[in-house]
């Protein structure tokens, strides 16, 4: 079933979450171990992130650094298919612009279609950590809006190969990312929301937000989207803090602010066990208020850990 149909058919706030493929060399069981504690909350759908290859520098025997291309978290499509097969829960694999040309994207979408997966989250992918900016592969997409357009074209039976006779129209439901506190590369939030509208105009069915720790950022963002004419559902993304390092990592990597009350509580903690407690308490308050406001779904970023998400869900659902 499509995410948008889950949302439209539900009378209450859905529960959903995002998984990361495990590090290369790990087993599928680690994914199942993350999912199992969350099954009792009846997840409507589960997202699986996509991770492109990256360049890392490794020291050689003479001390010089050798660039090596590696992909730390492969397996998105296999994991998506395995979860859907085992649990009969709808899966939303992420598809990204980075590292793909349009033909490769088309082939990936054909794989998903053949596997009976009809939901995708269309994302650009992060900027290169070394170069500091995003560069598409030759023949690939520079912005997520172009990826959305390609998926929607396939939904209309338009493939890259125009000589195909009566190609099968796919039926993907497409989600896109939105940023309550603005995307880090965007000059300002108005411009960012205008870009978001372009993704919706291209055919995106719904928006999932970047994590935020102050609900007013989400409510203001939704209002700004509605004011500019974006009408699709906007699903809030929630991440409970669990490590002291989140104080600096989350603002830097995700361009989000941590409110001072949360920072104070985290700073008082002498270990990560107590930070996790703070994170659970904070997320419960956020989730309760969002649910009361009637948001379509509460979407949790697990980052591979689900015990804290289960505790939050128990209090909220
Ligand atoms: P875009 O919508 O393309 O926007 C990127 C930037 O370009 C923005 O600043 C936007 O304002 C600007 N922009 C857009 N269109 C134009 C235009 N025509 N001209 C000029 N500027 C423009 N990353 C992964 O690698 N894998 C994942 O699985 C993944 N999942 C994610 C899930 C969610 C819910 C979120 C919020 C993020 C996820 N990311 C993931 C991170 C994402 O790749 C980064 O945030 C990335 O930097 C932007 O992706 P986007 O799809 O929002 O890009």
């Amino acid at each position: 079933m499509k995410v948008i149909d889950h949302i439209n058919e539900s009378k209450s706030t859905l529960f959903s979450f995002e998984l990361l493929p495990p590090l290369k060399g790990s087993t599928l069981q680690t994914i199942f171990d993350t999912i199992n504690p969350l099954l009792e909350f009846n997840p409507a759908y589960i997202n699986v992130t996509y991770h492109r290859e990256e360049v890392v520098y490794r020291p050689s025997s003479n001390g010089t650094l050798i660039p090596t291309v590696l992909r730390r978290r492969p397996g998105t499509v296999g994991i998506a298919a395995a979860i859907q097969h085992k649990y009969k829960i709808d899966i939303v694999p992420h598809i990204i612009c980075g590292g793909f040309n349009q033909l490769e994207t088309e082939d990936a979408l054909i794989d998903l279609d053949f596997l009976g997966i009809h939901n995708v989250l269309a994302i650009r992918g992060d900027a290169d950590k070394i170069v500091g900016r995003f560069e598409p592969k030759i023949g690939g997409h520079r912005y997520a809006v172009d990826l959305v357009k390609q998926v929607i074209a396939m939904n209309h039976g338009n493939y890259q190969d125009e000589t195909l006779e009566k190609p099968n129209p796919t039926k993907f439901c497409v989600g896109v990312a939105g940023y309550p506190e603005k995307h880090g590369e965007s000059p300002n939030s108005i411009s960012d929301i205008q870009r978001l509208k372009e993704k919706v105009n291209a055919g995106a069915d719904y928006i999932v937000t970047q994590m935020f720790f102050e609900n007013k950022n989400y409510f203001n963002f939704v209002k700004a989207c509605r004011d500019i004419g974006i009408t699709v559902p906007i699903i809030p993304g929630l991440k409970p803090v669990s490590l002291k390092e989140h104080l600096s990592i989350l603002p830097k990597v995700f361009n989000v602010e941590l409110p001072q009350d949360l920072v104070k509580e985290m700073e008082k903690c002498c270990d990560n066990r107590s930070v996790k407690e703070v994170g659970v308490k904070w997320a419960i308050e956020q989730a309760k208020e969002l649910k009361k406001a009637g948001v379509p779904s509460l979407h949790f970023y697990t980052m591979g850990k689900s015990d804290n998400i289960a505790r939050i869900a128990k209090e909220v659902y």
Side-chain angles (χ1 to χ4, degrees):
M1 191 166 157
K2 295 180 175 188
V3 169
I4 193 67
D5 294 333
H6 278 292
I7 292 172
N8 289 339
E9 287 177 19
S10 175
K11 291 188 178 64
S12 55
T13 297
L14 300 169
F15 169 66
S16 58
F17 58 91
E18 178 190 282
L19 297 170
L20 265 67
L23 287 167
K24 191 183 273 189
S26 198
T27 67
L28 196 53
Q29 188 58 42
T30 60
I31 288 287
F32 297 154
D33 291 344
T34 309
I35 296 174
N36 289 338
L38 300 176
L39 290 177
E40 65 175 290
F41 309 108
N42 200 16
Y45 56 92
I46 301 173
N47 283 49
V48 184
T49 55
Y50 193 96
H51 299 261
R52 71 174 296 183
E53 76 288 353
E54 54 187 301
V55 179
V56 293
Y57 286 83
R58 287 182 167 159
S60 68
S61 53
N62 69 7
T64 54
L65 293 174
I66 312 277
T68 315
V69 177
L70 56 84
R71 191 187 299 275
R72 290 177 201 273
R73 294 180 185 274
T76 300
V77 175
I79 290 168
I83 297 172
Q84 191 154 289
H85 178 72
K86 182 174 165 76
Y87 296 101
K88 314 285 178 252
I89 297 173
D90 289 304
I91 295 298
V92 187
H94 296 187
I95 53 168
I96 64 171
C97 304
F100 283 82
N101 65 34
Q102 292 177 43
L103 282 172
E104 289 162 342
T105 295
E106 183 169 284
D107 289 350
L109 290 166
I110 290 170
D111 283 343
L112 294 176
D113 185 50
F114 286 175
L115 286 165
I117 295 170
H118 302 300
N119 289 289
V120 289
L121 192 76
I123 298 283
R124 186 194 71 178
D126 278 323
D128 184 289
K129 286 194 188 92
I130 295 164
V131 184
R133 62 171 187 279
F134 177 83
E135 279 303 329
K137 189 171 179 176
I138 294 169
H141 299 300
R142 183 169 290 280
Y143 297 110
V145 63
D146 302 312
L147 185 55
V148 175
K149 284 179 187 162
Q150 182 173 359
V151 183
I152 299 300
M154 281 181 75
N155 281 352
H156 290 108
N158 298 322
Y159 287 56
Q160 297 294 304
D161 182 351
E162 289 168 3
T163 64
L164 298 176
E165 275 183 39
K166 293 200 188 145
N168 166 48
T170 53
K171 37 181 182 289
F172 287 106
C173 170
V174 184
V176 290
Y179 301 84
E181 294 169 72
K182 178 182 100 53
H183 183 255
E185 294 163 36
S186 187
N188 61 54
S189 48
I190 294 172
S191 156
D192 203 30
I193 291 174
Q194 276 164 352
R195 296 301 184 192
L196 179 58
K197 191 173 181 208
E198 289 168 9
K199 294 193 275 193
V200 174
N201 290 348
D205 295 286
Y206 65 95
I207 295 162
V208 188
T209 77
Q210 182 58 280
M211 64 183 75
F212 55 89
F213 296 90
E214 191 98 77
N215 285 350
K216 81 169 179 340
N217 290 333
Y218 169 81
F219 293 128
N220 291 343
F221 174 69
V222 173
K223 182 171 183 321
C225 288
R226 300 305 180 222
D227 287 349
I228 203 176
I230 296 174
T231 57
V232 298
I234 302 177
I235 298 168
L238 291 178
K239 152 103 193 99
V241 293
S242 55
L243 302 171
K244 203 132 197 190
E245 300 89 87
H246 283 159
L247 280 168
S248 56
I249 293 174
L250 299 181
K252 184 167 168 225
V253 176
F254 300 103
N255 196 49
V256 294
E257 282 206 9
L258 302 184
Q260 190 53 21
D261 286 350
L262 176 59
V263 172
K264 271 200 240 157
E265 289 304 311
M266 289 171 76
E267 281 174 344
K268 273 192 231 157
C269 297
C270 29
D271 56 25
N272 282 336
R273 247 177 74 176
S274 24
V275 175
K276 204 167 190 176
E277 290 306 307
V278 168
V280 166
K281 231 171 117 190
W282 190 272
I284 288 171
E285 293 311 310
Q286 272 197 281
K288 279 185 173 169
E289 187 185 29
L290 290 163
K291 187 162 176 274
K292 204 167 160 205
V295 300
S297 179
L298 290 169
H299 188 66
F300 289 93
Y301 296 114
T302 65
M303 301 207 175
K305 301 267 183 302
S306 56
D307 55 323
N308 50 353
I309 310 294
R311 285 179 55 199
I312 297 160
K314 218 172 205 108
E315 291 292 324
V316 176
Y317 287 94

